[in-house]
Amino acid sequence: METAIETPEVMKAPPSRITWNEPRELRYAVEEAPASLGPTISACCFHCKGTTLVSDNEANATLPLLACSKCQVARYCQKECQVLDWKKSPGGHKQTCHLYQRVGPNMLISNAQDQEEARNLIFARIRFYACPYAVNKTRTLGRGFLMVQSSGSLALMSLLGTRLDSLGRPTPMRSVLLHFLTMGEYDRDVCRDDFEMTIVRSELQEAVNEYDEETQVVLLMKFRCGHLVVGVAPLVPDYGICTKLGMDYFASNESEAALQLNLDDM
């Protein structure tokens, strides 16, 4: 289901702080690079997309790409490409350099503060859909939580505003799938199929028992890399607006079990 919700300027303020529990790392193996590019490509110029090849044959090798001095991730075949990419608007490296600093050349986020910032960034992108959806589901199903599952790793999903990975290659379309679940549904439909999900059951149950339905929403975020975390976020917009938006956009689709959001289109 794809639904467009209009968000007035007064509703676009930065989100209030989300309270996150300690994340768990299930350490799934993830291959983020597009397979169609082939195994010989090492990196691409972020501006002109010229490539450096990995080859034992010196005749086929190219000169090393120049790295951005700030993030050490974005690379360019010449200074001119670097200058042009920095000045490009929107989506130039001037706006995205800090995102690449966080993921590094290996497309990993290992620092706890960086992980939290990445999760906050992702939720800020979806909150005007997620919160009304959760409020509407609570109205019909009772207390529960919003399970946010992503199509990519935490690092890949956090590169919002750019469509290039840390090697300058196009990223696949990034999306999240939202399910509103009661604890009974979590036990029956999630934990029964994936026993590893029981690792957060007790803290999830506590959050569902204690959250305020009119001011908060409970989150369970799971990324393709295995990053798993429970959090409690403030409702944005407020409960009254969430109720109205939920009725307007989601009440007629009660039979649909999930809501898919494409982050790159938002």
Side-chain angles (χ1 to χ4, degrees), residues 5-14 127-128 236-238 241 245:
I5 294 180
E6 296 182 4
T7 53
E9 292 300 322
V10 295
M11 293 165 52
K12 294 183 179 180
R127 58 193 167 136
F128 292 114
V236 178
D238 64 33
I241 297 177
L245 290 175

Side-chain angles (χ1 to χ4, degrees), residues 166-224:
S166 60
L167 292 178
R169 300 175 293 195
T171 63
M173 178 66 74
R174 288 165 292 193
S175 64
V176 294
L177 192 65
L178 308 183
H179 287 88
F180 185 87
L181 300 173
T182 64
M183 289 305 299
E185 291 172 322
Y186 180 69
D187 291 336
R188 183 183 68 245
D189 301 332
V190 178
C191 294
R192 183 175 297 179
D193 293 335
D194 186 354
F195 73 92
E196 288 185 305
M197 296 297 290
T198 61
I199 195 172
V200 296
R201 192 198 182 285
S202 61
E203 60 191 272
L204 185 60
Q205 179 72 73
E206 181 179 0
V208 170
N209 288 344
E210 296 181 356
Y211 82 103
D212 184 340
E213 293 181 21
E214 296 192 0
T215 61
Q216 297 173 315
V217 59
V218 177
L219 305 175
L220 175 61
M221 280 192 169
K222 182 185 181 185
F223 295 87
R224 190 180 172 199

Side-chain angles (χ1 to χ4, degrees), residues 10-77:
V10 295
M11 293 165 52
K12 294 183 179 180
S16 301
R17 187 169 182 82
I18 302 173
T19 302
W20 297 104
N21 289 4
E22 187 72 21
R24 312 300 177 91
E25 301 294 345
L26 304 181
R27 302 192 183 282
Y28 299 153
V30 177
E31 175 53 59
E32 303 280 22
S36 60
L37 292 176
T40 60
I41 293 179
S42 174
C44 303
C45 174
F46 270 48
H47 180 67
C48 73
K49 307 304 181 289
T51 61
T52 291
L53 304 180
V54 176
S55 175
D56 294 331
N57 185 344
E58 292 185 3
N60 293 332
T62 62
L63 293 174
L65 298 176
L66 303 173
C68 169
S69 62
K70 292 187 176 181
C71 68
Q72 295 295 316
V73 173
R75 296 183 179 274
Y76 304 94
C77 56

